[in-house]
């Protein structure tokens, strides 16, 4: 039985077995107290062993980190803070540990734990974090599947380099030192694996749109990549993204979906990950729980970008980045708007077209597009989306205006050639969401094995 | 309302709206019959329009492929094969089509449809296939989450090249034509993005094992890659894989999980994708439904590899590949065993160690390992797994025997250094499963945008 189930029992039990990893060993005069965790929940089960029962070989390996099997009677515990303990009748050492184990009982910095990312899942913090990650991943699927959205696996390797969302990693099987060359001396990518230059996707949106134009409502949930040499706490080279896309939806419906989605996830976390959130609230970010509870009930407000700029200009604040119509909003601006102007989550809509991607739907004013960003207190932007330009002539004109090669996107334009329809969607970086839900401040601490410049260990 | 819900209605309705894409237009003397599909299900809804009501502009664009909105009364249909039709009061052409639309009403070959993979989701076959894919993806998560398995996102970009599962794609940001060089003239990968040579993962198993040694039961479900120049109908360069891993499990428990999992998925498909499976049964593989129904109820048998070889040698068959103890089983052998010896699904276990990976647990006979393959009729191997070698000394000895560099796997060996435990898991290629469940014979036809040698379109 997993420890989560054992601790939830209402009755004692004369014969129960448990397996897990030793967190602490305390040696009393006559008994040993051994706390065992099996990863099913934050709390461990306390084993109480008659010291005389242990042979010397077992006693030597029975230290923090060891793997054990125990059988005994589950009894009410006289100790504070725990309902149950296991009065051990038999104990087996499955895998010994010793004093060189890197996770001895003391609090380690997150930075140190990153250097042993293969062992950190055995700590309280990362146990809680990866249980939250798993549970929320499933909640993402539940939300969309309950609503009839189709899950699409968009391609990871892509020959598109014109999405403009960021720098691409190149994917190749060419000899790195002696690549084949054309007559002109250029690298001959026609001899590469895919007979063209390919990279890792930065977004599944364009392919997702094609599926929305067949199935109506779809979503993606998969890895995406940025080859940016960013050394911040918010950027990773590899991260997971969720991108829904809805045929026949306009920007208002897109905002409604984003609101429903975020509210669903926060309620799901509060309901199903209470133990983990309480831990983060106590150890990582005091105030996390009331913040999430407020989000679950909050009213989501709207401001146009133009209104937002007016608020920022009227604020009298001395921002690091200047505010002017046409410039992108920085985190400091976003936080001011949602924290001080609104006091809660805020959609900013209808951004200047020159700071947004080519596929966003052009508004009638000729200078803005039907884009939205959802801003939340403490973080700023957490979701970005738009209605897409479904009018072929306007989309082609925009590509030409930006000097982009329409031929490479001909397949995408086909969705506007035959049976085009209004549609809208958004993207949510899953790690950003986990940071928001856990209070963790470094993206490297919410993904199992982070990939950042100079780091691809494990 | 989606057409799936409309067609399931029990009562007529005086005022109903529908949106979707036109599959066919039939012009009668006084009325037009327009079949509309919205991707929510295989069947379309028949619209009946008074011909006089259409203006000429709308009529011209109202052809196969057009996107329409219609409002009218849902009435019992006099036509054969459909319960309902919509007597249209208003119709709007959202996106016109014309005679150049590549999916005119006729049956196209799967090969042709591959060349328009961005439009093929609008066909019956691929509509059904991608609904099945979405539904089964969710069922994978449901199965494991209901059993308390933790979902892990293992890394896509990896510096490990010693897993032995296949050729790696290289991931790089170095200048392809002028890479930096060391003093010795070699490409200087220390200047690459991750400061080392990196590639795309072939499996998340090793990282998954580390999580199993913290959480007990875990699973992965993500993209994996093979840079093999295979032009068969069963190999793609990019595909999705499911890899569960269980701490404290032996090979028998591993087989039991594989059996439970496959049975769950086939029952889920029969229950939730009946319309799609009936379509595949009729159009793609006659006999599909009875085959899947038999699998749902089948007894899963066991043979050791050694017994399997004896059966093959006693068969008197003239196989293309010779049979001898120590040689890997080919599909022809696997099919003979499960189709003719057993007549149903079959686990073959305990393979010679020289044909299996370094991490598999060594049996006491000194020549076999605790591996299993699950073979099913018509396909052969569908799942491959093993108990893992949890004994540090034996694992190190095996690495040395194979001439592999233990230093690069030091992080992996750490899981055997402290608190090691028996554990086991398996891998299932999701596309192979979809081929098995749909009768589709080419892997390119079960993945949205297939990546194969020379092909990374869309």
């Amino acid at each position: 039985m997993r420890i989560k189930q054992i601790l939830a029992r209402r009755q004692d039990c004369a014969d129960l077995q448990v397996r897990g990893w030793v967190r602490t060993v305390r040696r009393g005069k006559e008994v040993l107290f051994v706390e065992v965790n099996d990863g099913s929940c934050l709390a461990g089960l306390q084993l109480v062993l008659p010291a005389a029962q242990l042979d010397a070989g077992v006693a030597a390996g029975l230290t923090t980190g060891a793997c054990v099997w125990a059988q005994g009677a589950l009894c009410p515990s006289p100790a504070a803070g725990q309902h149950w303990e296991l009065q051990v009748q038999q104990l087996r050492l499955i895998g010994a540990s010793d004093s060189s184990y890197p996770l001895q009982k003391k609090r380690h910095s997150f930075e140190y734990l990153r250097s042993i990312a293969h062992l950190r899942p055995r700590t309280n913090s990362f146990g809680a974090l990866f249980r939250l990650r798993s549970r929320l991943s499933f909640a993402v699927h539940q939300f969309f599947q309950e609503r009839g959205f189709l899950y699409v696996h968009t391609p990871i390797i892509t020959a598109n380099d014109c999405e403009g969302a960021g720098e691409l990693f190149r994917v190749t099987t060419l000899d790195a030192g002696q690549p084949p060359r054309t007559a002109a001396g250029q690298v001959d990518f026609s001899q590469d694996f895919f007979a063209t230059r390919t990279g890792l996707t930065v977004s599944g949106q364009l392919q997702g749109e094609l599926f929305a134009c067949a199935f109506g409502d779809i979503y993606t949930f998969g890895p995406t990549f940025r080859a940016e040499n960013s050394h911040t706490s918010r950027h990773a080279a590899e991260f997971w993204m969720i991108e829904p896309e809805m045929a026949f939806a306009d920007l208002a419906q897109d905002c409604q979906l984003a609101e429903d989605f975020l509210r669903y996830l926060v309620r799901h976390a509060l309901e199903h990950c209470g133990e983990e959130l309480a831990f983060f609230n106590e150890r990582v970010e005091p105030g996390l729980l009331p913040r999430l509870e407020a989000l679950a009930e909050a009213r989501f407000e709207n401001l146009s970008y133009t209104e937002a700029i007016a608020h920022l200009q009227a604020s009298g604040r001395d921002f690091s980045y200047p505010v002017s119509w046409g410039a992108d909003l920085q985190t400091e601006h976003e936080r001011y708007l949602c924290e001080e102007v609104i006091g809660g989550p805020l959609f900013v809509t209808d951004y200047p077209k020159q700071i947004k991607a080519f596929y966003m739907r052009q508004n009638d004013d000729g200078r803005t597009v039907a884009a939205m960003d959802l801003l939340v207190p403490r973080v700023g932007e957490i979701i970005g989306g738009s209605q897409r330009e479904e009018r072929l002539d306007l989309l082609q004109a925009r590509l030409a205006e930006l000097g982009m090669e329409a031929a490479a996107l001909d397949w995408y334009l086909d969705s506007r050639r035959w049976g085009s329809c209004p549609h809208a969607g958004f993207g949510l970086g899953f790690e950003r969401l986990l940071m928001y839900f856990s209070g963790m401040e470094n993206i490297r601490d919410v993904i199992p094995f982070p990939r950042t410049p100079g780091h691809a260990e494990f």
Side-chain angles (χ1 to χ4, degrees), chain A:
Chain A
M1 199 182 288
R2 306 295 306 268
I3 288 174
K4 183 175 182 163
Q5 277 90 49
I6 293 173
L7 295 178
R9 283 183 67 95
R10 301 183 168 224
Q11 290 190 297
D12 52 17
C13 174
D15 181 9
L16 192 142
Q17 302 180 23
V18 67
R19 286 174 299 207
W21 290 271
V22 171
R23 285 292 173 83
T24 57
V25 179
R26 229 159 21 89
R27 286 163 210 269
K29 235 181 278 180
E30 314 225 315
V31 293
L32 264 70
F33 299 100
V34 180
E35 197 203 335
V36 171
N37 184 288
D38 70 358
S40 64
C41 61
L42 193 70
L45 178 65
Q46 174 134 297
L47 314 187
V48 184
L49 285 95
Q53 205 183 288
L54 277 186
D55 74 47
V58 170
L62 186 66
T63 67
T64 297
C67 184
V68 296
W69 170 92
Q71 177 272 328
L74 190 72
C75 308
S77 175
Q82 58 190 26
H83 287 291
W84 296 114
E85 62 184 30
L86 191 76
Q87 297 281 352
V88 174
Q89 285 145 15
Q90 300 178 68
L91 179 132
R92 279 205 292 269
L93 187 63
I94 298 177
S97 187
D98 60 35
S99 61
S100 68
Y101 181 59
L103 289 168
Q104 299 300 330
K105 166 96 186 152
K106 62 173 178 182
R107 286 187 74 172
H108 301 284
S109 72
F110 287 147
E111 200 169 356
Y112 167 70
L113 291 173
R114 248 170 257 151
S115 73
I116 50 168
H118 61 307
L119 296 174
R120 67 181 181 172
R122 298 188 189 182
T123 65
N124 282 338
S125 298
F126 289 95
L129 196 288
F130 294 124
R131 276 189 301 275
L132 178 67
R133 186 174 173 114
S134 172
R135 188 80 213 198
L136 281 178
S137 294
F138 187 54
V140 167
H141 288 293
Q142 280 181 306
F143 175 84
F144 288 115
Q145 296 271 345
E146 283 168 6
R147 282 157 187 76
F149 283 60
L150 184 108
Y151 180 36
V152 191
H153 290 127
T154 49
I156 309 302
I157 298 171
T158 175
N160 302 319
D161 58 358
C162 47
E163 291 161 26
E167 296 286 311
L168 286 189
F169 285 104
R170 192 156 51 84
V171 172
T172 182
T173 55
L174 292 181
D175 185 307
Q178 304 286 339
R181 307 264 177 185
T182 62
Q186 301 296 305
V187 173
D188 184 5
F189 288 107
S190 74
Q191 294 187 48
D192 207 344
F193 189 91
F194 296 105
T196 186
R197 191 181 168 104
T198 52
L200 292 177
T201 186
V202 295
S203 161
Q205 180 199 313
L206 302 191
Q207 292 93 352
E209 285 186 51
L210 292 166
F211 269 64
C213 293
F215 296 101
D217 299 331
I218 66 95
Y219 69 107
T220 71
F221 186 8
T224 47
F225 304 86
R226 297 282 186 283
E228 276 153 26
N229 197 20
S230 295
H231 293 261
T232 79
S233 61
R234 286 167 57 83
H235 292 88
E238 173 180 319
F239 56 98
W240 283 64
M241 189 137 77
I242 299 147
E243 295 180 286
E245 190 76 32
M246 294 180 289
F248 312 114
D250 61 15
L251 191 66
Q253 290 165 308
D254 200 34
C255 291
Q256 189 62 53
L257 182 73
E259 175 180 336
D260 293 346
F261 181 50
L262 193 59
R263 210 189 285 282
Y264 180 95
L265 292 178
V266 70
R267 286 185 176 158
H268 190 96
L270 288 166
E271 186 176 343
H272 296 285
C273 306
E275 190 190 42
E276 284 79 15
L277 296 184
F279 174 84
F280 294 128
N281 187 64
E282 193 190 319
R283 299 292 186 90
V284 177
E285 184 202 338
L288 173 76
L289 271 177
R291 179 165 66 70
L292 293 179
E293 281 157 2
L295 181 65
E297 303 305 323
R299 193 181 144 89
F300 284 55
E301 299 288 349
N302 277 276
L303 281 179
S304 73
Y305 168 88
T306 302
E307 291 166 335
I309 291 293
H311 277 288
L312 291 167
Q313 288 176 329
S315 69
R317 288 296 177 98
D318 185 23
F319 293 114
S320 312
Y321 291 85
V323 173
S324 71
W325 200 99
D328 210 354
L329 299 182
Q330 302 298 321
T331 303
E332 57 174 344
H333 309 137
E334 294 173 340
R335 291 191 58 177
Y336 173 80
L337 290 166
C338 60
E339 291 171 10
E340 313 218 7
V341 177
I342 299 296
L346 167 67
F347 287 104
V348 175
T349 63
D350 302 298
Y351 284 76
K353 67 178 178 181
Q354 68 268 27
I355 57 172
K356 290 290 183 183
F358 74 93
Y359 50 72
M360 297 194 180
R361 192 177 196 277
Q362 296 165 56
N363 288 328
D364 292 341
D365 63 14
R367 56 184 208 150
T368 62
V369 289
M372 63 90 161
D373 279 358
L374 174 57
L375 316 181
V376 290
R378 188 171 169 273
V379 161
E381 185 211 326
I382 193 160
I383 285 178
S386 73
Q387 190 173 339
R388 320 306 186 184
E389 184 55 80
E390 86 281 12
R391 297 161 296 186
L392 180 62
D393 51 347
L394 286 162
L395 187 55
Q396 286 172 322
R398 186 67 185 141
L399 286 171
E401 198 175 2
L402 291 167
M404 292 172 67
E405 201 196 334
L409 283 173
D410 214 43
W411 57 276
Y412 176 70
L413 297 177
D414 276 356
S415 61
R416 277 69 169 169
R417 269 188 193 108
W418 300 292
S420 186
C421 67
H423 56 288
F426 62 79
L428 168 66
F430 189 53
E431 282 73 18
R432 292 276 173 90
L433 182 87
L434 285 169
M435 291 165 74
Y436 194 64
F437 277 27
S438 66
M440 298 294 262
E441 292 189 336
N442 196 312
I443 196 168
R444 295 166 181 79
D445 296 332
V446 297
I447 189 165
F449 298 95
R451 269 72 180 103
T452 54
H455 292 286
E457 294 91 353
F458 314 110

